[in-house]
Amino acid sequence: NEKPQTVSMHSVIASKRFQEEQKMKLPVAIGRTITNEVFMFDLAKTPHLLVAGATGQGKSVAINAIITSLLYKKHPSELKFVLVDPKKVEFAPYRALMRHYLAAMPGVEDKEIIITDCQKVIDTLNSLVIEMENRYELLEDAGVRNLEDYNEKFVNRRLNPSKLIAGSLHHQFLPYIVIIIDEYGDFIMQAGKQVERPIQRIAQKARAVGMHMILATQRPSVNIVTGVIKANIPTRIALRTQSVVDSRTVLDAKGADQLVGKGDMLHSGNGNTTRIQCAFVDTPEVDRIVDHIQGQQRYSQPYPLPEYVSPDEEGGDTLAPGSVDMKRLDSMFRDVATYVVTKQEGSTSRLQRAFEIGYNRAGKLSDQLEAAGIVGPNKGPKGRDVLIQDLDTLEQKLQELGV
């Protein structure tokens, strides 16, 4: 355009279309199309969303627009957010809404309600997986297939809140939970599989129980947004990307590399792609919305998520990479130790052949033998020195280890 105009968030939210929308469960008004109509979609139908684009092209503003439109439409009893933000500053204004709209695990301090730390992200995601399983238990007991039917049944007093289900659950009104992870790639680089696994589970199953996920990332490469996650996130929003390759990764089509920037985006869902100018919402505007909501009635605490205890906390300290946990020895440890002492040969490749096991397992066994003091350190192609000469000494050593 010769004279480009900013699409204001106010113009989108004050529009007749957004104000009169009744059918959508989680209506999101994100901006205007080329023909200047308000573009809306239902996050509950989406059911998860991937937002990608190069740095400085408006990902965070787009996420703020999504949050804003949900805050305008949904009462705190119907909607809860889990906000994850490695940058620590993007979602900071929403911290004030913790007793209205945010969900948290028990024992989380007020200042940590917006999650920035990688370990807390892992714990929270696993806690959300438990929440998802609990909700399925409740739905199964109620004999319904999705969250809307369940809540309708509960509101109409057809479910007994005092009945005990699966040992510890009670029927209650279940709000939608929207999980928003900004800079998702950052956590994948730090923790990889530990973050990816719960996200995959939520992406695969959580839709029916009203849990929806929004992932934002700068570089939607295959090692960050894996095939399983992509298959379960059919709706994508691409802001301007650096290259055609990135555009294809997000949208499975080219085009996102030729956008103008500053909130110019392509929304791909239900088989068609729409070009939208994202509504602009700035920090003072967010602050005013938050201040307004703060003045309203609130809950005594954030929405409680189930407690999750990581396996490391149960079993002592976290292991550093490459270290060996002597409490969890391989089931073949005794046989392998006996073989190594009998043959007086400690090479990993020899173990592979003798026991017909893979390289990784043989390597792990060698590390365990070294930690137990049965073989010496690795000497490359020569293999390892065997430090115990006879089976009697080995037997004593194994008894000390409790094997």
Side-chain angles (χ1 to χ4, degrees):
N1 288 341
E2 295 263 324
K3 297 178 184 170
Q5 279 181 310
T6 306
V7 174
S8 70
M9 195 72 213
H10 175 267
S11 73
V12 174
I13 282 180
S15 66
K16 195 174 176 189
R17 168 119 202 259
F18 184 75
Q19 293 290 331
E20 294 180 1
E21 176 55 60
Q22 297 293 330
K23 288 183 182 171
M24 291 186 183
K25 306 284 188 296
L26 291 173
V28 173
I30 200 162
R32 291 182 181 271
T33 59
I34 293 176
T35 52
N36 207 23
E37 291 164 6
V38 172
F39 182 86
M40 287 181 68
F41 64 88
D42 186 356
L43 186 61
K45 290 261 178 3
T46 309
H48 309 288
L49 186 63
L50 176 65
V51 182
T55 261
Q57 303 301 335
K59 285 193 305 297
S60 297
V61 174
I63 288 178
N64 276 326
I66 292 170
I67 296 176
T68 305
S69 44
L70 288 172
L71 291 178
Y72 264 88
K73 271 289 189 190
K74 286 286 163 196
H75 186 270
S77 66
E78 301 172 292
L79 172 68
K80 301 293 172 191
F81 288 104
V82 173
L83 301 176
V84 176
D85 176 20
K87 289 190 241 171
K88 303 190 180 184
V89 292
E90 286 303 338
F91 296 148
Y94 299 110
R95 188 176 289 129
L97 298 183
M98 52 191 265
R99 307 239 189 286
H100 294 86
Y101 279 105
L102 296 185
M105 284 167 62
V108 171
E109 292 176 29
D110 290 3
K111 62 177 187 289
E112 294 175 345
I113 192 102
I114 287 165
I115 305 149
T116 54
D117 170 57
C118 190
Q119 187 54 48
K120 291 219 167 54
V121 174
I122 296 166
D123 292 350
T124 307
L125 286 169
N126 283 303
S127 165
L128 286 161
V129 171
I130 299 169
E131 170 77 9
M132 173 180 83
E133 301 291 359
N134 289 348
R135 287 183 167 209
Y136 271 113
E137 294 278 359
L138 293 173
L139 261 66
E140 183 189 20
D141 187 76
V144 292
R145 292 173 65 177
N146 57 35
L147 188 86
E148 293 82 47
D149 297 349
Y150 176 87
N151 282 340
E152 191 182 331
K153 224 173 175 181
F154 185 81
V155 170
N156 294 333
R157 303 195 166 201
R158 288 163 57 202
L159 297 173
N160 179 4
S162 55
K163 180 182 176 186
L164 198 64
I165 299 145
S168 60
L169 305 172
H170 293 278
H171 284 301
Q172 56 180 353
F173 186 87
L174 298 177
Y176 288 97
I177 295 181
V178 176
I179 305 138
I180 302 179
I181 303 183
D182 197 9
E183 240 15 284
Y184 163 67
D186 186 54
F187 292 121
I188 289 293
M189 282 167 69
Q190 286 183 55
K193 282 271 183 284
Q194 288 176 293
V195 171
E196 207 177 294
R197 216 171 272 131
I199 285 182
Q200 281 182 1
R201 292 202 60 197
I202 291 168
Q204 282 168 331
K205 281 174 60 178
R207 181 187 63 167
V209 290
M211 294 165 69
H212 305 284
M213 185 173 275
I214 299 171
L215 300 178
T217 177
Q218 286 175 8
R219 171 95 216 279
S221 54
V222 183
N223 56 347
I224 288 173
V225 182
T226 56
V228 177
I229 289 176
K230 257 182 93 169
N232 289 294
I233 305 185
T235 309
R236 326 266 166 78
I237 286 179
L239 291 108
R240 185 176 172 189
T241 56
Q242 292 286 7
S243 64
V244 185
V245 179
D246 284 1
S247 173
R248 285 193 195 282
T249 316
V250 194
L251 297 172
D252 301 323
K254 59 184 184 185
D257 51 313
Q258 293 168 342
L259 295 171
V260 185
K262 291 203 172 170
D264 189 12
M265 59 163 72
L266 290 171
H267 174 279
S268 150
N270 301 336
N272 48 20
T273 306
T274 318
R275 189 169 179 182
I276 309 160
Q277 177 60 42
C278 178
F280 179 68
V281 50
D282 59 356
T283 312
E285 209 169 352
V286 171
D287 288 342
R288 287 208 301 280
I289 294 167
V290 169
D291 286 346
H292 180 75
I293 297 174
Q294 257 193 301
Q296 298 169 0
Q297 184 106 31
R298 61 184 188 176
Y299 292 97
S300 58
Q301 61 179 52
Y303 180 80
L305 293 174
E307 194 158 5
Y308 169 75
V309 180
S310 64
D312 298 333
E313 285 173 37
E314 285 175 358
D317 301 330
T318 317
L319 285 180
S323 59
V324 178
D325 186 355
M326 297 307 287
K327 291 188 191 111
R328 296 179 191 163
L329 293 173
D330 194 294
S331 55
M332 293 172 72
F333 182 81
R334 191 185 183 93
D335 300 340
V336 171
T338 311
Y339 173 83
V340 166
V341 172
T342 312
K343 297 277 184 192
Q344 288 294 303
E345 272 189 11
S347 83
T348 307
S349 52
R350 191 67 193 257
L351 294 182
Q352 272 180 273
R353 287 200 300 278
F355 290 92
E356 297 180 351
I357 52 178
Y359 176 76
N360 288 348
R361 189 172 182 190
K364 237 180 198 166
L365 278 158
S366 294
D367 291 343
Q368 289 176 359
L369 290 168
E370 184 188 340
I374 296 168
V375 297
N378 192 6
K379 290 185 172 179
K382 284 183 180 175
R384 298 166 184 260
D385 294 334
V386 182
L387 305 176
I388 291 180
Q389 304 303 320
D390 58 88
L391 291 173
D392 293 341
T393 320
L394 175 67
E395 193 56 47
Q396 286 176 338
K397 180 66 105 176
L398 290 175
Q399 279 174 357
E400 282 170 28
L401 291 169
V403 180

